[in-house]
Amino acid sequence: METLMNPFLKLTPQSFAMIFSMINNNEDRVIYVVDPTYQTNYYLTPSFVNVWDRPLNLLYDDMSAWASTVVEEDYMTVSTDMSAQEARGVIPLNNMCYRIFQPNGQLRWLTCNSFPLYNDENECVAVIGIVDNVEQEKYIHLLDEKNKISNNDKKQSKELSDILIKELA
C-alpha cells in the first residue's frame, strides 16, 4: 500500500497504525480518520475487515463505498443528519446507531461516534471516528423488549381471565 501523507498531521498510515494499535485491541471496534469533508480516508484500522467482512482497501479506494453496506432506512437517517449538520456550517459528525449488511447477508448493528481534530489555528483538519459492533448488546436489548411485551401480554391476559371468572361466577 502506498504511503498516504496527511499534510496537516504529517503522519503516515503506519504511524497512525502504531498509535491506534495501542488503544484499539478490539476486533469489533473500527477507528477511522478522514478529512473533514469525508472525501479522503487517512487511516482505517484492520478490524474493518472483521466488522464489515470486506477488504481494507474498499474505503481507501472509494470513501462512499460504505454507504452501499448500510441498511437503506438507516443510511437515509445518517445521510440526512450529516447533511443537516453541513448545511448549518458545522463539521458533520456521525454519532448514531445503524445497521450494515455483510456480503454473506449477515446483519450487524454498529454505533459510530466521531469528533473533529483541530490544529493550532483551530481549523478542523480531520474527523476521528470510533465504530463499535454492538450487535450482541442490540439483540439483548431487543430480546428484553420482546420479553417485556410478552410479560405485559401475560399480565393483561391474566387480568381479562380474572374479570371473566368473576362475571361467570
Side-chain angles (χ1 to χ4, degrees):
M1 179 171 81
E2 74 178 44
T3 301
L4 300 174
M5 187 66 98
N6 178 334
F8 301 104
L9 303 177
K10 304 292 187 229
L11 293 174
T12 63
Q14 293 80 11
S15 298
F16 276 118
M18 188 174 70
I19 292 167
F20 288 117
S21 70
M22 294 176 201
I23 60 173
N24 181 39
N25 59 1
N26 184 338
E27 288 183 354
D28 287 333
R29 175 174 291 143
V30 176
I31 298 174
Y32 64 86
V33 181
V34 297
D35 76 296
T37 64
Y38 290 79
Q39 299 301 310
T40 304
N41 190 3
Y42 296 138
Y43 178 74
L44 184 63
T45 54
S47 55
F48 173 82
V49 175
N50 181 52
V51 174
W52 263 265
D53 194 24
R54 287 179 165 78
L56 193 57
N57 67 338
L58 177 74
L59 295 185
Y60 283 113
D61 296 343
D62 179 10
M63 276 293 294
S64 64
W66 77 273
S68 67
T69 69
V70 179
V71 172
E72 186 176 350
E73 66 189 57
D74 292 355
Y75 177 74
M76 296 307 294
T77 302
V78 171
S79 178
T80 301
D81 185 57
M82 292 179 75
S83 294
Q85 291 177 56
E86 197 169 21
R88 290 192 314 266
V90 297
I91 303 299
L93 300 177
N94 183 358
N95 298 310
M96 60 186 56
C97 186
Y98 57 89
R99 298 163 293 169
I100 63 165
F101 281 113
Q102 292 181 319
N104 65 6
Q106 183 177 357
L107 184 70
R108 291 275 175 115
W109 286 88
L110 307 176
T111 58
C112 179
N113 294 291
S114 57
F115 52 94
L117 179 64
Y118 293 95
N119 64 12
D120 291 339
E121 287 79 43
N122 204 29
E123 301 167 319
C124 180
V125 295
V127 173
I128 297 175
I130 301 171
V131 180
D132 284 304
N133 178 1
V134 293
E135 175 182 3
Q136 203 169 27
E137 292 88 348
K138 193 67 173 178
Y139 286 126
I140 289 169
H141 173 74
L142 292 173
L143 188 59
D144 285 346
E145 289 299 313
K146 182 180 176 186
N147 286 338
K148 284 179 189 173
I149 291 169
S150 176
N151 288 338
N152 284 340
D153 288 346
K154 288 177 187 173
K155 184 179 175 184
Q156 288 174 351
S157 293
K158 171 94 170 89
E159 289 170 357
L160 284 173
S161 174
D162 288 347
I163 291 170
L164 285 173
I165 289 171
K166 284 179 183 176
E167 287 184 12
L168 293 174

Short mmCIF file of all heavy atoms in Angstrom, two decimals, residues 106-159:
data_model
loop_
_atom_site.label_atom_id
_atom_site.label_comp_id
_atom_site.label_asym_id
_atom_site.label_seq_id
_atom_site.Cartn_x
_atom_site.Cartn_y
_atom_site.Cartn_z
N GLN A 106 -25.33 -11.32 6.54
CA GLN A 106 -25.45 -11.15 7.99
C GLN A 106 -25.61 -9.67 8.34
O GLN A 106 -24.94 -8.81 7.79
CB GLN A 106 -24.22 -11.71 8.70
CG GLN A 106 -24.32 -11.63 10.20
CD GLN A 106 -23.12 -12.25 10.91
OE1 GLN A 106 -22.22 -12.80 10.28
NE2 GLN A 106 -23.09 -12.13 12.22
N LEU A 107 -26.52 -9.40 9.25
CA LEU A 107 -26.80 -8.05 9.70
C LEU A 107 -25.93 -7.73 10.90
O LEU A 107 -25.78 -8.55 11.81
CB LEU A 107 -28.27 -7.93 10.09
CG LEU A 107 -28.78 -6.55 10.50
CD1 LEU A 107 -28.82 -5.62 9.29
CD2 LEU A 107 -30.16 -6.67 11.11
N ARG A 108 -25.32 -6.56 10.91
CA ARG A 108 -24.52 -6.09 12.05
C ARG A 108 -25.07 -4.76 12.53
O ARG A 108 -25.39 -3.89 11.73
CB ARG A 108 -23.05 -5.89 11.65
CG ARG A 108 -22.28 -7.14 11.35
CD ARG A 108 -21.73 -7.71 12.63
NE ARG A 108 -21.07 -8.97 12.44
CZ ARG A 108 -19.78 -9.17 12.64
NH1 ARG A 108 -19.00 -8.19 12.99
NH2 ARG A 108 -19.28 -10.37 12.48
N TRP A 109 -25.19 -4.61 13.84
CA TRP A 109 -25.56 -3.33 14.45
C TRP A 109 -24.27 -2.63 14.85
O TRP A 109 -23.43 -3.21 15.54
CB TRP A 109 -26.40 -3.56 15.70
CG TRP A 109 -27.80 -4.00 15.43
CD1 TRP A 109 -28.24 -5.27 15.27
CD2 TRP A 109 -28.94 -3.16 15.29
NE1 TRP A 109 -29.59 -5.29 15.06
CE2 TRP A 109 -30.05 -3.99 15.06
CE3 TRP A 109 -29.13 -1.77 15.34
CZ2 TRP A 109 -31.33 -3.49 14.89
CZ3 TRP A 109 -30.42 -1.29 15.17
CH2 TRP A 109 -31.49 -2.14 14.94
N LEU A 110 -24.14 -1.36 14.48
CA LEU A 110 -22.95 -0.59 14.79
C LEU A 110 -23.33 0.73 15.44
O LEU A 110 -24.38 1.30 15.13
CB LEU A 110 -22.15 -0.29 13.52
CG LEU A 110 -21.78 -1.47 12.64
CD1 LEU A 110 -21.08 -0.98 11.38
CD2 LEU A 110 -20.91 -2.45 13.38
N THR A 111 -22.47 1.20 16.33
CA THR A 111 -22.59 2.58 16.79
C THR A 111 -21.34 3.30 16.33
O THR A 111 -20.25 2.73 16.32
CB THR A 111 -22.69 2.71 18.33
OG1 THR A 111 -21.53 2.11 18.93
CG2 THR A 111 -23.94 2.09 18.87
N CYS A 112 -21.53 4.52 15.93
CA CYS A 112 -20.40 5.33 15.47
C CYS A 112 -20.41 6.63 16.24
O CYS A 112 -21.45 7.29 16.36
CB CYS A 112 -20.52 5.61 13.97
SG CYS A 112 -19.15 6.63 13.38
N ASN A 113 -19.27 6.98 16.77
CA ASN A 113 -19.08 8.26 17.44
C ASN A 113 -17.86 8.91 16.83
O ASN A 113 -16.78 8.30 16.80
CB ASN A 113 -18.90 8.08 18.95
CG ASN A 113 -20.15 7.54 19.59
OD1 ASN A 113 -21.15 8.23 19.66
ND2 ASN A 113 -20.11 6.29 20.00
N SER A 114 -18.03 10.11 16.32
CA SER A 114 -16.91 10.79 15.70
C SER A 114 -16.75 12.18 16.29
O SER A 114 -17.70 12.74 16.86
CB SER A 114 -17.10 10.86 14.18
OG SER A 114 -18.31 11.51 13.85
N PHE A 115 -15.55 12.71 16.15
CA PHE A 115 -15.28 14.03 16.70
C PHE A 115 -14.20 14.69 15.86
O PHE A 115 -13.37 14.01 15.25
CB PHE A 115 -14.88 13.96 18.18
CG PHE A 115 -13.77 12.99 18.47
CD1 PHE A 115 -12.46 13.40 18.51
CD2 PHE A 115 -14.07 11.64 18.71
CE1 PHE A 115 -11.44 12.50 18.78
CE2 PHE A 115 -13.05 10.73 18.98
CZ PHE A 115 -11.74 11.17 19.01
N PRO A 116 -14.22 16.03 15.80
CA PRO A 116 -13.25 16.75 14.97
C PRO A 116 -11.88 16.83 15.64
O PRO A 116 -11.77 16.84 16.87
CB PRO A 116 -13.87 18.14 14.84
CG PRO A 116 -14.72 18.29 16.06
CD PRO A 116 -15.20 16.91 16.42
N LEU A 117 -10.86 16.89 14.82
CA LEU A 117 -9.49 17.07 15.29
C LEU A 117 -9.04 18.43 14.76
O LEU A 117 -9.06 18.66 13.55
CB LEU A 117 -8.60 15.96 14.76
CG LEU A 117 -7.13 16.01 15.13
CD1 LEU A 117 -6.96 15.87 16.64
CD2 LEU A 117 -6.36 14.91 14.42
N TYR A 118 -8.65 19.32 15.68
CA TYR A 118 -8.28 20.69 15.30
C TYR A 118 -6.78 20.89 15.36
O TYR A 118 -6.09 20.30 16.20
CB TYR A 118 -8.96 21.70 16.24
CG TYR A 118 -10.45 21.73 16.09
CD1 TYR A 118 -11.27 20.98 16.92
CD2 TYR A 118 -11.04 22.51 15.10
CE1 TYR A 118 -12.65 21.01 16.78
CE2 TYR A 118 -12.42 22.53 14.94
CZ TYR A 118 -13.22 21.78 15.78
OH TYR A 118 -14.58 21.79 15.63
N ASN A 119 -6.27 21.78 14.49
CA ASN A 119 -4.85 22.14 14.54
C ASN A 119 -4.68 23.35 15.45
O ASN A 119 -5.64 23.81 16.08
CB ASN A 119 -4.29 22.39 13.13
CG ASN A 119 -4.94 23.58 12.44
OD1 ASN A 119 -5.65 24.38 13.05
ND2 ASN A 119 -4.69 23.69 11.14
N ASP A 120 -3.47 23.90 15.51
CA ASP A 120 -3.17 25.03 16.40
C ASP A 120 -3.94 26.30 16.01
O ASP A 120 -4.13 27.18 16.83
CB ASP A 120 -1.68 25.33 16.41
CG ASP A 120 -0.87 24.23 17.09
OD1 ASP A 120 -1.47 23.47 17.88
OD2 ASP A 120 0.34 24.14 16.83
N GLU A 121 -4.36 26.38 14.74
CA GLU A 121 -5.12 27.55 14.27
C GLU A 121 -6.63 27.35 14.46
O GLU A 121 -7.43 28.11 13.92
CB GLU A 121 -4.82 27.83 12.79
CG GLU A 121 -3.44 28.42 12.55
CD GLU A 121 -2.36 27.33 12.58
OE1 GLU A 121 -2.59 26.26 12.00
OE2 GLU A 121 -1.30 27.58 13.19
N ASN A 122 -7.01 26.32 15.19
CA ASN A 122 -8.41 26.00 15.46
C ASN A 122 -9.20 25.65 14.19
O ASN A 122 -10.39 25.91 14.09
CB ASN A 122 -9.10 27.13 16.24
CG ASN A 122 -10.29 26.61 17.02
OD1 ASN A 122 -10.31 25.45 17.44
ND2 ASN A 122 -11.28 27.45 17.21
N GLU A 123 -8.50 25.07 13.21
CA GLU A 123 -9.14 24.60 11.99
C GLU A 123 -9.31 23.09 12.10
O GLU A 123 -8.39 22.38 12.53
CB GLU A 123 -8.28 24.91 10.76
CG GLU A 123 -7.98 26.37 10.57
CD GLU A 123 -6.88 26.59 9.54
OE1 GLU A 123 -5.88 25.83 9.54
OE2 GLU A 123 -7.01 27.53 8.75
N CYS A 124 -10.47 22.62 11.70
CA CYS A 124 -10.68 21.17 11.71
C CYS A 124 -9.87 20.57 10.57
O CYS A 124 -10.04 20.95 9.40
CB CYS A 124 -12.16 20.84 11.54
SG CYS A 124 -12.47 19.06 11.54
N VAL A 125 -8.98 19.66 10.90
CA VAL A 125 -8.12 19.05 9.89
C VAL A 125 -8.46 17.60 9.63
O VAL A 125 -8.00 17.01 8.66
CB VAL A 125 -6.62 19.18 10.27
CG1 VAL A 125 -6.20 20.65 10.27
CG2 VAL A 125 -6.35 18.54 11.62
N ALA A 126 -9.26 17.02 10.51
CA ALA A 126 -9.64 15.62 10.33
C ALA A 126 -10.81 15.30 11.24
O ALA A 126 -11.12 16.05 12.18
CB ALA A 126 -8.46 14.69 10.65
N VAL A 127 -11.47 14.20 10.94
CA VAL A 127 -12.51 13.67 11.80
C VAL A 127 -12.08 12.28 12.21
O VAL A 127 -11.67 11.48 11.37
CB VAL A 127 -13.87 13.62 11.07
CG1 VAL A 127 -14.91 12.91 11.93
CG2 VAL A 127 -14.34 15.02 10.72
N ILE A 128 -12.12 12.02 13.50
CA ILE A 128 -11.77 10.70 14.02
C ILE A 128 -13.07 10.02 14.43
O ILE A 128 -13.91 10.62 15.11
CB ILE A 128 -10.82 10.80 15.23
CG1 ILE A 128 -9.51 11.45 14.80
CG2 ILE A 128 -10.58 9.42 15.85
CD1 ILE A 128 -8.55 11.71 15.93
N GLY A 129 -13.24 8.79 13.99
CA GLY A 129 -14.44 8.06 14.33
C GLY A 129 -14.13 6.73 14.97
O GLY A 129 -13.11 6.09 14.67
N ILE A 130 -14.99 6.32 15.88
CA ILE A 130 -14.88 5.02 16.53
C ILE A 130 -16.20 4.29 16.28
O ILE A 130 -17.26 4.77 16.67
CB ILE A 130 -14.62 5.16 18.04
CG1 ILE A 130 -13.33 5.94 18.27
CG2 ILE A 130 -14.57 3.78 18.71
CD1 ILE A 130 -13.09 6.33 19.71
N VAL A 131 -16.10 3.18 15.60
CA VAL A 131 -17.28 2.37 15.27
C VAL A 131 -17.20 1.08 16.07
O VAL A 131 -16.20 0.37 15.98
CB VAL A 131 -17.33 2.05 13.76
CG1 VAL A 131 -18.55 1.20 13.43
CG2 VAL A 131 -17.30 3.33 12.92
N ASP A 132 -18.24 0.82 16.84
CA ASP A 132 -18.28 -0.40 17.64
C ASP A 132 -19.38 -1.31 17.13
O ASP A 132 -20.50 -0.85 16.85
CB ASP A 132 -18.54 -0.09 19.12
CG ASP A 132 -17.31 0.45 19.81
OD1 ASP A 132 -16.27 -0.23 19.76
OD2 ASP A 132 -17.39 1.55 20.39
N ASN A 133 -19.06 -2.59 17.04
CA ASN A 133 -20.06 -3.60 16.70
C ASN A 133 -20.83 -3.87 17.98
O ASN A 133 -20.31 -4.42 18.93
CB ASN A 133 -19.38 -4.87 16.21
CG ASN A 133 -20.35 -5.98 15.90
OD1 ASN A 133 -21.55 -5.83 16.03
ND2 ASN A 133 -19.81 -7.11 15.50
N VAL A 134 -22.10 -3.45 18.01
CA VAL A 134 -22.93 -3.61 19.20
C VAL A 134 -24.04 -4.62 18.97
O VAL A 134 -25.07 -4.61 19.63
CB VAL A 134 -23.52 -2.26 19.68
CG1 VAL A 134 -22.42 -1.34 20.17
CG2 VAL A 134 -24.34 -1.61 18.59
N GLU A 135 -23.78 -5.49 18.02
CA GLU A 135 -24.77 -6.50 17.62
C GLU A 135 -25.29 -7.28 18.83
O GLU A 135 -26.50 -7.41 19.02
CB GLU A 135 -24.11 -7.43 16.61
CG GLU A 135 -24.91 -8.59 16.17
CD GLU A 135 -24.11 -9.45 15.20
OE1 GLU A 135 -22.95 -9.15 14.92
OE2 GLU A 135 -24.69 -10.43 14.75
N GLN A 136 -24.39 -7.77 19.65
CA GLN A 136 -24.80 -8.58 20.79
C GLN A 136 -25.65 -7.77 21.77
O GLN A 136 -26.71 -8.22 22.21
CB GLN A 136 -23.55 -9.12 21.48
CG GLN A 136 -23.80 -10.35 22.30
CD GLN A 136 -22.48 -10.98 22.74
OE1 GLN A 136 -21.47 -10.32 22.89
NE2 GLN A 136 -22.50 -12.28 22.96
N GLU A 137 -25.20 -6.56 22.08
CA GLU A 137 -25.95 -5.71 23.01
C GLU A 137 -27.32 -5.36 22.44
O GLU A 137 -28.31 -5.31 23.16
CB GLU A 137 -25.17 -4.43 23.31
CG GLU A 137 -23.91 -4.64 24.11
CD GLU A 137 -22.69 -4.93 23.23
OE1 GLU A 137 -22.85 -5.19 22.02
OE2 GLU A 137 -21.58 -4.91 23.76
N LYS A 138 -27.38 -5.09 21.13
CA LYS A 138 -28.64 -4.72 20.49
C LYS A 138 -29.64 -5.87 20.54
O LYS A 138 -30.81 -5.68 20.84
CB LYS A 138 -28.39 -4.29 19.05
CG LYS A 138 -29.55 -3.61 18.41
CD LYS A 138 -29.82 -2.27 19.06
CE LYS A 138 -30.88 -1.52 18.31
NZ LYS A 138 -31.22 -0.25 18.91
N TYR A 139 -29.16 -7.08 20.24
CA TYR A 139 -30.05 -8.23 20.29
C TYR A 139 -30.54 -8.51 21.71
O TYR A 139 -31.69 -8.87 21.91
CB TYR A 139 -29.39 -9.47 19.68
CG TYR A 139 -29.31 -9.40 18.18
CD1 TYR A 139 -28.11 -9.57 17.51
CD2 TYR A 139 -30.45 -9.13 17.41
CE1 TYR A 139 -28.05 -9.49 16.13
CE2 TYR A 139 -30.39 -9.06 16.04
CZ TYR A 139 -29.19 -9.24 15.40
OH TYR A 139 -29.12 -9.15 14.04
N ILE A 140 -29.67 -8.32 22.69
CA ILE A 140 -30.08 -8.50 24.09
C ILE A 140 -31.16 -7.47 24.42
O ILE A 140 -32.18 -7.81 25.04
CB ILE A 140 -28.87 -8.38 25.05
CG1 ILE A 140 -27.97 -9.61 24.89
CG2 ILE A 140 -29.32 -8.20 26.49
CD1 ILE A 140 -26.64 -9.49 25.59
N HIS A 141 -30.97 -6.23 23.99
CA HIS A 141 -31.96 -5.18 24.23
C HIS A 141 -33.29 -5.53 23.56
O HIS A 141 -34.36 -5.40 24.17
CB HIS A 141 -31.44 -3.84 23.71
CG HIS A 141 -32.45 -2.74 23.76
ND1 HIS A 141 -32.82 -2.13 24.93
CD2 HIS A 141 -33.18 -2.15 22.77
CE1 HIS A 141 -33.74 -1.22 24.66
NE2 HIS A 141 -33.97 -1.21 23.37
N LEU A 142 -33.23 -5.97 22.29
CA LEU A 142 -34.46 -6.34 21.58
C LEU A 142 -35.15 -7.52 22.25
O LEU A 142 -36.38 -7.55 22.35
CB LEU A 142 -34.14 -6.66 20.11
CG LEU A 142 -33.71 -5.48 19.24
CD1 LEU A 142 -33.27 -5.97 17.87
CD2 LEU A 142 -34.81 -4.45 19.13
N LEU A 143 -34.36 -8.48 22.73
CA LEU A 143 -34.93 -9.62 23.43
C LEU A 143 -35.60 -9.18 24.73
O LEU A 143 -36.69 -9.62 25.06
CB LEU A 143 -33.84 -10.66 23.70
CG LEU A 143 -34.28 -12.00 24.26
CD1 LEU A 143 -35.27 -12.68 23.33
CD2 LEU A 143 -33.08 -12.89 24.49
N ASP A 144 -34.94 -8.28 25.45
CA ASP A 144 -35.53 -7.73 26.68
C ASP A 144 -36.85 -7.03 26.38
O ASP A 144 -37.83 -7.20 27.12
CB ASP A 144 -34.57 -6.75 27.37
CG ASP A 144 -33.42 -7.44 28.08
OD1 ASP A 144 -33.49 -8.67 28.26
OD2 ASP A 144 -32.45 -6.73 28.43
N GLU A 145 -36.87 -6.24 25.31
CA GLU A 145 -38.10 -5.55 24.92
C GLU A 145 -39.20 -6.55 24.59
O GLU A 145 -40.35 -6.38 24.99
CB GLU A 145 -37.84 -4.61 23.73
CG GLU A 145 -37.01 -3.40 24.06
CD GLU A 145 -37.66 -2.52 25.12
OE1 GLU A 145 -38.86 -2.22 24.99
OE2 GLU A 145 -36.97 -2.13 26.08
N LYS A 146 -38.84 -7.61 23.85
CA LYS A 146 -39.81 -8.64 23.49
C LYS A 146 -40.36 -9.31 24.75
O LYS A 146 -41.56 -9.55 24.86
CB LYS A 146 -39.17 -9.66 22.56
CG LYS A 146 -40.12 -10.74 22.10
CD LYS A 146 -39.43 -11.73 21.19
CE LYS A 146 -40.39 -12.84 20.83
NZ LYS A 146 -39.75 -13.90 20.08
N ASN A 147 -39.47 -9.60 25.70
CA ASN A 147 -39.90 -10.23 26.95
C ASN A 147 -40.81 -9.30 27.76
O ASN A 147 -41.77 -9.76 28.37
CB ASN A 147 -38.69 -10.64 27.79
CG ASN A 147 -38.01 -11.87 27.23
OD1 ASN A 147 -38.61 -12.64 26.49
ND2 ASN A 147 -36.74 -12.03 27.55
N LYS A 148 -40.53 -8.00 27.75
CA LYS A 148 -41.39 -7.04 28.46
C LYS A 148 -42.79 -7.06 27.84
O LYS A 148 -43.78 -7.07 28.54
CB LYS A 148 -40.80 -5.64 28.38
CG LYS A 148 -39.63 -5.42 29.30
CD LYS A 148 -39.08 -4.02 29.15
CE LYS A 148 -37.78 -3.86 29.92
NZ LYS A 148 -37.13 -2.57 29.65
N ILE A 149 -42.82 -7.04 26.50
CA ILE A 149 -44.12 -7.07 25.82
C ILE A 149 -44.83 -8.38 26.14
O ILE A 149 -46.02 -8.39 26.45
CB ILE A 149 -43.93 -6.90 24.29
CG1 ILE A 149 -43.47 -5.47 24.01
CG2 ILE A 149 -45.22 -7.21 23.54
CD1 ILE A 149 -42.99 -5.25 22.58
N SER A 150 -44.10 -9.47 26.09
CA SER A 150 -44.67 -10.77 26.38
C SER A 150 -45.21 -10.82 27.81
O SER A 150 -46.30 -11.31 28.06
CB SER A 150 -43.62 -11.86 26.17
OG SER A 150 -44.13 -13.12 26.53
N ASN A 151 -44.46 -10.29 28.75
CA ASN A 151 -44.90 -10.25 30.15
C ASN A 151 -46.13 -9.36 30.31
O ASN A 151 -47.03 -9.69 31.07
CB ASN A 151 -43.77 -9.78 31.07
CG ASN A 151 -42.69 -10.83 31.23
OD1 ASN A 151 -42.93 -12.02 31.01
ND2 ASN A 151 -41.49 -10.40 31.58
N ASN A 152 -46.17 -8.24 29.58
CA ASN A 152 -47.36 -7.37 29.63
C ASN A 152 -48.56 -8.10 29.06
O ASN A 152 -49.66 -7.98 29.59
CB ASN A 152 -47.11 -6.08 28.85
CG ASN A 152 -46.23 -5.11 29.62
OD1 ASN A 152 -46.10 -5.22 30.84
ND2 ASN A 152 -45.64 -4.18 28.91
N ASP A 153 -48.37 -8.85 27.96
CA ASP A 153 -49.46 -9.64 27.37
C ASP A 153 -49.98 -10.66 28.38
O ASP A 153 -51.20 -10.84 28.53
CB ASP A 153 -49.01 -10.35 26.10
CG ASP A 153 -48.81 -9.40 24.93
OD1 ASP A 153 -49.26 -8.23 25.04
OD2 ASP A 153 -48.20 -9.81 23.93
N LYS A 154 -49.06 -11.33 29.08
CA LYS A 154 -49.46 -12.32 30.08
C LYS A 154 -50.25 -11.66 31.20
O LYS A 154 -51.26 -12.18 31.66
CB LYS A 154 -48.23 -13.03 30.65
CG LYS A 154 -47.57 -13.98 29.69
CD LYS A 154 -46.32 -14.59 30.30
CE LYS A 154 -45.57 -15.43 29.28
NZ LYS A 154 -44.28 -15.87 29.78
N LYS A 155 -49.78 -10.48 31.64
CA LYS A 155 -50.46 -9.76 32.72
C LYS A 155 -51.86 -9.36 32.27
O LYS A 155 -52.83 -9.53 33.01
CB LYS A 155 -49.64 -8.52 33.11
CG LYS A 155 -50.22 -7.76 34.27
CD LYS A 155 -49.34 -6.56 34.61
CE LYS A 155 -49.98 -5.74 35.71
NZ LYS A 155 -49.24 -4.53 36.00
N GLN A 156 -51.97 -8.84 31.04
CA GLN A 156 -53.28 -8.43 30.53
C GLN A 156 -54.20 -9.65 30.37
O GLN A 156 -55.38 -9.57 30.67
CB GLN A 156 -53.14 -7.70 29.19
CG GLN A 156 -52.55 -6.31 29.34
CD GLN A 156 -52.28 -5.66 27.99
OE1 GLN A 156 -52.37 -6.29 26.95
NE2 GLN A 156 -51.94 -4.38 28.03
N SER A 157 -53.64 -10.77 29.90
CA SER A 157 -54.44 -12.00 29.76
C SER A 157 -54.95 -12.45 31.12
O SER A 157 -56.10 -12.87 31.25
CB SER A 157 -53.61 -13.11 29.13
OG SER A 157 -53.31 -12.80 27.81
N LYS A 158 -54.09 -12.39 32.12
CA LYS A 158 -54.49 -12.78 33.48
C LYS A 158 -55.60 -11.87 33.99
O LYS A 158 -56.58 -12.34 34.57
CB LYS A 158 -53.26 -12.73 34.41
CG LYS A 158 -53.56 -12.90 35.88
CD LYS A 158 -53.41 -14.34 36.31
CE LYS A 158 -53.47 -14.49 37.80
NZ LYS A 158 -54.80 -14.67 38.33
N GLU A 159 -55.46 -10.57 33.76
CA GLU A 159 -56.48 -9.62 34.21
C GLU A 159 -57.82 -9.91 33.52
O GLU A 159 -58.87 -9.90 34.15
CB GLU A 159 -56.04 -8.18 33.94
CG GLU A 159 -54.91 -7.73 34.85
CD GLU A 159 -54.29 -6.39 34.44
OE1 GLU A 159 -54.69 -5.83 33.39
OE2 GLU A 159 -53.40 -5.92 35.16
#
